Amino acid sequence: MTLTETRPETEAPETEAPETEAVAAGGDSGLLPQPPPAGWTPPTGLAGILSTGDHRVIGRLYVVFSLLLCGLALTLGILLGIEQADIDGGFGVFGDANELFQVFGLYRTTLILCGLVPLFLGLATVIVPRQLGASSVAFPRAAAAAFWTWLVGAVTHIVATFAYGGLGSLGAGAARVQSVELTVLSLGVIGIGLLAGAGVVFTTVVTQRPAGMDLLQVPAFSWSMLVATGVWLFSLPVLLANLVISWVDMRGTGAEGFGTGDAPFQQVAWAFDAPQVYAWTIPALGIVAEVFTAAHRSRPRMFEPMAVIVGVFGFLSFGAWAQSFFDSPDPRATDAHVVTDEVLFTAFGLGIALVVLAYGGWLAYNAVASGQRPRISPQFALVTSAVVLLTAAVVAGVLRVAEPALGVLREADGDIWRGFFDAMDDLGGSSLVTGMMNFAVLAGLLAAVGGLYHWGPRMLDRPLNAPLGFLSVVPLAGGAILVGLTDVLSGFFDQPAEPYGVGNPPYGPRSFDRIDALGFVEFLNVIGLIGYIAVLGGLVLVVLNLVRSLAGPEVGVAADRGVEV
């Protein structure tokens, strides 16, 4: 079987539950695709891939390429980890600070915008229409155009960065101007592709529902994709606007500071920081809900409260307003504006932690109400690990805002709370921020892979291999914990979030002496490096499992269990 081969969706049993109940439970009842005209033979091979409008093929393409690009991002993380394992000397992986800066930015853009987000879109392109009983997505050709736009942008972005480009440079002559311009332009192309893909999924959920089904009756994953794409439709245009500002300033005769130096990266850095980093993980909540309840062999109970929780999570994760690039030049001025010190930023950080706590309570309630032990499967292990990672991410976010949130205690009695606040000072600029991002994004990645195992029979017309799936769980989950935890712990020892500004060449001016317990921080970085290698190894197992499934013959599947029969 290949990417372009699909099996007609005619496997529904003769007797089915009523349409609304079946769809609410994640079933596939509904409209069947119309047969092709007599005598028409669909193209195969490369021609079939390039010309396809089949939502299942498009979804598979999204999944395959996004997993490969996630692997590239993790490889970049390994390179960064090798360099940070010896902060004061360096291992010579990068020739200078600008090369480190290029890879630092490319790791973030590739992991999130070229990996996680399109992976969710790929799952949604296949699964959402089936959950709604629709024959396809709302705009199949637009879905195909969105995929190819995203892929061209992603490949161009990576090539431009490696061609001495990147999102800016740390000094005059440190990067090729044309390559930097192409990097910025290609990131905009990525944004346009993702924007179009999000619009297709959003429209599908809104318009392709069967008669009698309101939005609060759609399955959990479809609801989470509705919330996610709604947030993305508001966030991505702001990201594009930032890139346009940088592009115009680069091309203009007199630079105003928006396109010079590292300004292009700093303008889009909000997309990789709280609260926006949580927005990219919203679909994980829907996947977890579906896999978790399926493992307990029950339907979701108290669905409406869960839908509200996901909606509030989406609202609090919108972060286009939290752009530190536009902070006041002098943060010590009496009228200075520093977005991370604002009450709204603190409220969002604390509020999203409460929402995740409420979501965990909903999962616990469903586990108890089912009255059954969960059926252990690779997808259940992955989504459980994803919940742990997401919880760790919001805890790190709370630690980040703890100092401004509890500042009243310092005002009340600075002597009593001095030690506590000394530990909390400057966490906003430390590697804790990177740890928070890694926790959140890797939680989304594990949930997406869990969804891939859960819906493998529906996406690939055969399941993924369960033993190989179990084998991938340990490196994926364990490595993700190591990657995030070591960055969070290093933040308490003042390791900065931007490593290219630390230490000897290639890092720049000598300033590593401000890192407390340098040897211990380097030890933590080595552990984090092992975590990156483990996650990459687990992802390789997932890709091998996927290739094995696509290359093998079709077999009978039990769609609800996701195991071979």
Side-chain angles (χ1 to χ4, degrees):
M1 177 182 156
T2 64
L3 283 170
T4 57
E5 292 176 348
T6 58
R7 183 167 52 193
E9 300 178 22
T10 57
E11 303 175 7
E14 295 181 1
T15 303
E16 294 185 353
E19 185 175 61
T20 301
E21 295 182 2
V23 176
D28 292 334
S29 63
L31 300 175
L32 295 177
Q34 295 297 320
W40 180 79
T41 302
T44 59
L46 182 60
I49 293 176
L50 294 175
S51 62
T52 185
D54 188 328
H55 69 106
R56 289 176 292 176
V57 176
I58 296 168
R60 292 173 187 172
L61 291 170
Y62 263 126
V63 168
V64 170
F65 282 100
S66 59
L67 286 176
L68 293 176
L69 291 177
C70 278
L72 173 62
L74 292 169
T75 303
L76 298 176
I78 291 174
L79 296 178
L80 293 171
I82 293 174
E83 196 63 59
Q84 289 185 274
D86 187 12
I87 295 176
D88 56 344
F91 285 102
V93 176
F94 305 103
D96 53 42
N98 194 70
E99 290 185 6
L100 179 60
F101 166 71
Q102 291 169 346
V103 174
F104 177 83
L106 184 61
Y107 167 72
R108 283 154 173 74
T109 55
T110 305
L111 184 63
I112 296 177
L113 300 178
C114 300
L116 181 64
V117 175
L119 181 56
F120 281 136
L121 286 177
L123 289 172
T125 301
V126 178
I127 300 302
V128 167
R130 300 196 66 166
Q131 288 189 332
L132 300 178
S135 61
S136 182
V137 292
F139 306 109
R141 290 299 179 187
F147 166 76
W148 291 112
T149 300
W150 163 78
L151 184 61
V152 170
V155 173
T156 306
H157 181 71
I158 294 166
V159 171
T161 301
F162 282 122
Y164 297 97
L167 294 172
S169 63
L170 298 182
R176 293 177 179 171
V177 176
Q178 295 87 348
S179 295
V180 172
E181 292 176 352
L182 184 58
T183 304
V184 172
L185 180 63
S186 59
L187 187 58
V189 174
I190 292 173
I192 292 172
L194 295 178
L195 192 63
V200 169
V201 174
F202 184 90
T203 307
T204 300
V205 179
V206 173
T207 65
Q208 301 293 89
R209 290 172 288 118
M213 175 188 287
D214 60 37
L215 288 176
L216 289 180
Q217 290 178 312
V218 301
F221 178 60
S222 294
W223 170 256
S224 69
M225 285 305 305
L226 177 69
V227 175
T229 52
V231 176
W232 300 348
L233 288 172
F234 281 98
S235 304
L236 289 171
V238 180
L239 182 68
L240 292 174
N242 289 126
L243 295 171
V244 169
I245 292 173
S246 296
W247 171 263
V248 171
D249 197 42
M250 288 178 191
R251 304 291 292 178
T253 55
E256 298 294 335
F258 298 107
T260 59
D262 66 344
F265 172 76
Q266 297 299 337
Q267 280 203 73
V268 300
W270 60 268
F272 320 120
D273 197 357
Q276 182 64 34
V277 70
Y278 300 120
W280 312 124
T281 68
I282 296 172
L285 301 180
I287 295 174
V288 170
E290 298 221 17
V291 174
F292 192 84
T293 53
H296 286 84
R297 297 174 290 280
S298 66
R299 294 187 178 188
R301 292 174 169 83
M302 296 184 67
F303 182 86
E304 289 78 8
M306 186 277 295
V308 172
I309 289 172
V310 174
V312 174
F313 184 92
F315 173 78
L316 293 176
S317 66
F318 177 74
W321 56 271
Q323 300 194 32
S324 297
F325 178 79
F326 298 101
D327 285 350
S328 301
D330 183 7
R332 294 170 296 180
T334 56
D335 58 345
H337 168 75
V338 179
V339 68
T340 55
D341 292 338
E342 297 292 335
V343 174
L344 188 61
F345 187 85
T346 301
F348 271 49
L350 298 177
I352 206 161
L354 295 176
V355 171
V356 172
L357 180 63
Y359 183 77
W362 180 84
L363 291 176
Y365 170 79
N366 273 268
V368 173
S370 69
Q372 303 185 66
R373 292 183 178 180
R375 182 174 53 233
I376 303 302
S377 63
Q379 54 264 38
F380 178 75
L382 286 166
V383 299
T384 303
S385 302
V387 173
V388 173
L389 291 172
L390 185 59
T391 303
V394 297
V395 169
V398 169
L399 291 174
R400 180 183 181 183
V401 301
E403 195 273 340
L406 302 177
V408 64
L409 298 179
R410 172 177 281 175
E411 297 295 331
D413 196 330
D415 293 332
I416 295 178
W417 297 98
R418 180 176 294 115
F420 172 76
F421 284 114
D422 286 346
M424 294 295 175
D425 280 343
D426 299 325
L427 283 180
S430 74
S431 62
L432 178 138
V433 178
T434 303
M436 177 187 63
M437 181 201 76
N438 282 326
F439 269 139
V441 176
L442 293 178
L445 177 61
L446 263 64
V449 173
L452 184 61
Y453 280 111
H454 182 62
W455 290 306
R458 303 181 186 184
M459 293 193 65
L460 310 174
D461 294 331
R462 65 160 297 163
L464 296 169
N465 181 265
L468 194 56
F470 278 115
L471 190 62
S472 67
V473 171
V474 174
L476 282 172
I481 291 173
L482 293 180
V483 169
L485 184 61
T486 52
D487 279 329
V488 170
L489 293 178
S490 297
F492 286 93
F493 295 93
D494 295 328
Q495 177 172 252
E498 299 176 348
Y500 48 85
V502 182
N504 287 326
Y507 293 100
R510 182 183 177 90
S511 58
F512 62 85
D513 53 347
R514 66 189 178 92
I515 299 178
D516 298 331
L518 180 61
F520 180 65
V521 170
E522 290 179 338
F523 169 75
L524 289 175
N525 290 338
V526 171
I527 301 301
L529 170 61
I530 295 173
Y532 276 115
I533 296 173
V535 177
L536 179 60
L539 192 64
V540 169
L541 292 175
V542 173
V543 174
L544 290 176
N545 204 343
L546 184 64
V547 172
R548 172 189 174 276
S549 179
L550 289 172
E554 294 183 3
V555 297
V557 297
D560 293 334
R561 293 180 178 268
V563 297
E564 297 183 9
V565 297

